[in-house]
Amino acid sequence: MANLKIFVLAVALKGLTQAAGILPDGPLNGSVGGSVMFTTSLTEADGPFDGVTWSFGVSTIIQHTPTNNLTYPAYEGRITFFPSTASLELKDLTLDDGGQYNVNVFPDRSGRTKLDVYAPVSSVTVTPQSSDLVEFSSFSLTCSSSGPSLSFIWMNSSSEVTSSDRVQITDGGSTLTVVNVTRYDEQSYRCRVFNPVSEGISDPVNILVSYGPENTKMSASPSQEFYEEGSDISLSCSADSRPSAQFTWFVNGTKLPDSGPELTLRNIQFSQRGDYSCQAFNSRTLTNETSPSILISALQKISRVSIKASTEQIIEGSSVTLTCEASGSSPSRTWKKDGSDLNLSENVTLSEDNTVLTFKAVKKENSGEYVCLVRNPVSSSEAKFTIVVNYGPENVQIEGKDLINENDQIKLICSAESTPSATFTWRLNGSEIIGSSAEFLKEKAQSSDSGTYTCEAKNTVTEKQSTAEHELHVRTGCSSGCSAGCIARIIVGCLVVAAASAGGFTVYKKRHNREPEPPPQNTEENDVYEEMSTVYQNVGK
């Protein structure tokens, strides 16, 4: 014990002459019932220490030597000492624990710091002066809480409230006043109270602001400029207002018996046409506002659309009109051809109201499907008409062989451009042939079938006709179907047989006693010619 007293005295004297400042700058903050840690800047490498003394003001907390610890009665069970760093933890804090704390580490280290102890924040409440306001009035909120050294922050639904030309925060922050209240001030407000060791927040207080009516407007469903007679129309009225506005209805300035935000017009007729409006009224602000009006009009639906042609049979080159007829209110007409917009020209024109489509001289390219679309703002309908331009026959042609052998098939095909399709008549050398189809067919040709074939095409609607001719030669006799050499041998044979009869030879000679024709140029035909000449000369001898 004597050694401990000598150590304390030595440390005290050393501390008066040299302070190393081994504690953090203060103040440190503690909460009633909580704990605080006095941590020195020393480490285990700085030890071991000859002695350590902690004190609060003039009262000793603990004295420590390598061989002994002495904790003073007021701190028994409330402290934890850490010999390796000379640090100290103080528990179960009370308001009386606030003050200056010192540590002396022998031989030459010391430090001092301050501890502030606070009671926890509790019982935070907000009291409104009024919570149901009319726009452009004022309100105040007062915040209260238990505990000393309190600070206040006001929060609305989304952020912190700060002072401005309309917002005043007074009484150390505990009172919030808002002047010229607007609808945007209608939200929840809270008060946040705090001290260095704790904080608390109040329950929300809802501020309600009555305003309006404003922005009173109405709408129609379905929304359109014109309505078909017999339609049901729903009118809706709305306004920015708190509390919700009450509504009355007017047509052409005359009040209707209906009330409420909805007005339904059923099976509307032309007689109900007019300017409709609604009026909103706020029972709290005692003001009203009337909406802009909406014109409600009814139209008759488009019906009985048809296209009528000026003639039943449309012949190329004639003048034709198509008239689009329809019933209903305010019809407008649009024409299309084969699904595309109609192209007008000097030959194809429309009347001023698009009712009559005129072809000054109709052409075959004007054939196609024509559509007249009739519409008004509430309906539409269409009619179709197909123009068939009758023309022709044109470009009459005959297809087939011009040289065949006897007993071969004759096949000739006649074609013509014509609407409707042409009928056909065949002639051979000017004489009509039985049959009227586009194809002339004979299974076995005869020599009498050689000649000029004429195909006559006729259009029964245009009453026009056109012809084409085709020359056909049918080869007959021994030469039929043989080559030039074959023909020569056949002829030679024939002449030999003929030579057996003197009479026949005489006749033959008489009939052929004339100068032979010049030889042909083709090699094979020339050989035939020479062979025939030799035979002829021998027979003649």
Side-chain angles (χ1 to χ4, degrees), residues 120 136 167 202 233 264 344 390 423:
F136 306 119
V167 179
S202 70
I233 306 170
T264 300
L344 300 178
N390 297 285
T423 60

Side-chain angles (χ1 to χ4, degrees), residues 315-330:
I315 298 176
E316 186 177 29
S318 63
S319 176
V320 179
T321 61
L322 299 182
T323 302
C324 182
E325 299 179 348
S327 299
S329 305
S330 305

Side-chain angles (χ1 to χ4, degrees), residues 221-477:
S221 179
S223 178
Q224 51 199 58
E225 185 178 359
F226 297 94
Y227 297 87
E228 181 184 338
E229 279 190 329
S231 299
D232 293 340
I233 306 170
S234 178
L235 302 180
S236 299
C237 191
S238 64
D240 296 334
S241 177
R242 187 190 178 278
S244 298
Q246 302 167 1
F247 299 98
T248 53
W249 293 90
F250 297 82
V251 58
N252 297 326
T254 301
K255 185 177 179 180
L256 296 173
D258 306 84
S259 61
E262 302 283 341
L263 174 64
T264 300
L265 304 176
R266 300 190 182 279
N267 191 26
I268 189 170
Q269 300 299 310
F270 183 78
S271 59
Q272 293 175 276
R273 179 183 184 276
D275 290 312
Y276 285 76
S277 61
C278 65
Q279 185 180 84
F281 174 73
N282 187 322
S283 60
R284 181 86 167 85
T285 64
L286 302 179
T287 57
N288 60 59
E289 185 180 71
T290 301
S291 72
S293 63
I294 292 180
L295 176 63
I296 301 296
S297 296
L299 295 178
Q300 184 182 12
K301 183 180 179 180
I302 296 295
S303 62
R304 297 195 296 276
V305 180
S306 64
I307 298 175
K308 294 183 178 179
S310 58
T311 180
E312 291 186 6
Q313 297 285 1
I314 300 175
I315 298 176
E316 186 177 29
S318 63
S319 176
V320 179
T321 61
L322 299 182
T323 302
C324 182
E325 299 179 348
S327 299
S329 305
S330 305
S332 65
R333 293 169 172 83
T334 302
W335 289 83
K336 289 183 178 293
K337 178 181 182 291
D338 297 328
S340 301
D341 292 339
L342 180 64
N343 292 323
L344 300 178
S345 64
E346 184 177 350
N347 186 52
V348 182
T349 60
L350 275 171
S351 61
E352 185 174 351
D353 62 355
N354 286 2
T355 299
V356 180
L357 176 62
T358 301
F359 300 88
K360 293 182 180 179
V362 70
K363 302 176 182 179
K364 54 187 159 187
E365 55 263 29
N366 296 133
S367 295
E369 183 183 71
Y370 289 79
V371 176
C372 177
L373 175 62
V374 185
R375 59 165 63 95
N376 64 15
V378 300
S379 62
S380 65
S381 185
E382 66 180 28
K384 298 180 180 180
F385 186 90
T386 299
I387 286 184
V388 178
V389 178
N390 297 285
Y391 68 95
E394 300 175 358
N395 193 25
V396 181
Q397 297 180 1
I398 299 175
E399 179 183 349
K401 296 180 179 179
D402 54 7
L403 176 63
I404 62 174
N405 297 318
E406 191 174 24
N407 294 323
D408 285 352
Q409 184 190 65
I410 301 176
K411 184 177 181 180
L412 301 177
I413 299 175
C414 189
S415 62
E417 296 176 5
S418 177
T419 299
S421 298
T423 60
F424 300 95
T425 301
W426 289 91
R427 292 184 177 84
L428 174 56
N429 298 325
S431 298
E432 186 171 337
I433 304 174
I434 297 175
S436 60
S437 68
E439 182 181 275
F440 174 75
L441 185 66
K442 186 175 181 181
E443 291 299 331
K444 291 186 177 182
Q446 301 174 354
S447 59
S448 58
D449 293 321
S450 295
T452 301
Y453 285 79
T454 302
C455 171
E456 179 183 270
K458 184 175 182 179
N459 187 318
T460 57
V461 175
T462 64
E463 298 183 349
K464 295 180 180 180
Q465 61 186 29
S466 184
T467 63
E469 293 184 345
H470 181 79
E471 294 292 334
L472 176 64
H473 178 67
V474 181
R475 293 184 294 196
T476 62

Side-chain angles (χ1 to χ4, degrees), residues 114-131:
K114 183 181 179 183
L115 172 65
D116 291 335
V117 180
Y118 299 90
V121 173
S122 62
S123 303
V124 181
T125 59
V126 173
T127 304
Q129 182 186 39
S130 175
S131 58

